[in-house]
Amino acid sequence: MKIVITFVSALLMLCLMPFALPMCSGEAPSADWSLLTGEPCEPPCWQGLTPGQSTEDETAAFLETSDYVEGSSLWQDRTGCGEITYWKSPIAYLRDRPISGWTSNYLCASNGTLKALMIYLVYDLTLEQLLDRYGPPEAFRAHSAGVPERRYAEV
């Protein structure tokens, strides 16, 4: 009986370790401030990926190595845009468990090229900060999004 309990305890620890490590490592995941800093590139580029220019291989390499991608949150689907890959940042992954698709970042690639990127911020950003950084918009689109418990505006 003691052997079975020890085995089950060891198995449980191995199964839970991937989830516990980010919280126990002592290193907090970093937020991506590139929208305000312009580093490493300016929009529409994000972290070196530019829609219409970056290849599917470049996007795949980024998703595998980036500190802004929680690897265990990756999932793919096919849409009218093409092959779409969803993921959460490590901060959002820890904050939003269980994983909910509506706060997932995504990129869409088709015919070997990145077509679109959608990045959800993991911090509050004011309109004033955006206007200070980029000036007034030439045009904008806004709509309500989210779920009844958590509505927000996308602009």
Side-chain angles (χ1 to χ4, degrees), residues 21-36:
L21 283 177
M23 292 179 278
C24 299
S25 68
E27 292 182 35
S30 58
D32 171 23
W33 292 93
S34 62
L35 185 62
L36 292 177

Side-chain angles (χ1 to χ4, degrees), residues 35 117-121 125-128 130-131 135-146 151-155:
L35 185 62
L117 277 167
M118 171 72 83
I119 308 301
Y120 284 88
L121 302 178
L125 180 66
T126 67
L127 180 58
E128 181 179 20
L130 278 176
L131 291 175
E138 295 174 15
F140 69 91
R141 177 181 71 130
H143 66 274
S144 175
R151 302 295 291 173
Y152 57 93
E154 287 184 341
V155 180

Side-chain angles (χ1 to χ4, degrees), residues 1-152:
M1 181 71 161
K2 189 174 184 179
I3 293 173
V4 171
I5 292 173
T6 303
F7 176 74
V8 170
S9 297
L11 185 60
L12 186 59
M13 280 182 48
L14 285 174
C15 291
L16 294 177
M17 196 175 306
F19 300 107
L21 283 177
M23 292 179 278
C24 299
S25 68
E27 292 182 35
S30 58
D32 171 23
W33 292 93
S34 62
L35 185 62
L36 292 177
T37 66
E39 296 294 329
C41 54
E42 295 283 346
C45 176
W46 178 74
Q47 297 299 322
L49 300 176
T50 304
Q53 295 177 8
S54 298
T55 67
E56 284 186 84
D57 290 340
E58 291 169 331
T59 61
F62 171 82
L63 292 171
E64 289 176 14
T65 60
S66 174
D67 290 339
Y68 300 118
V69 176
E70 172 56 48
S72 63
S73 71
L74 286 166
W75 60 285
Q76 293 185 322
D77 197 2
R78 193 135 190 70
T79 68
C81 172
E83 186 74 27
I84 192 163
T85 302
Y86 299 90
W87 77 92
K88 286 187 174 284
S89 72
I91 293 172
Y93 182 75
L94 292 173
R95 180 193 66 206
D96 295 345
R97 281 195 205 169
I99 295 174
S100 59
W102 62 273
T103 59
S104 292
N105 304 305
Y106 69 83
L107 60 82
C108 183
S110 177
N111 298 322
T113 305
L114 176 64
K115 300 295 183 196
L117 277 167
M118 171 72 83
I119 308 301
Y120 284 88
L121 302 178
V122 293
Y123 54 87
D124 291 331
L125 180 66
T126 67
L127 180 58
E128 181 179 20
Q129 288 173 297
L130 278 176
L131 291 175
D132 286 348
R133 175 77 169 100
Y134 295 102
E138 295 174 15
F140 69 91
R141 177 181 71 130
H143 66 274
S144 175
V147 294
E149 304 84 43
R150 190 171 175 191
R151 302 295 291 173
Y152 57 93

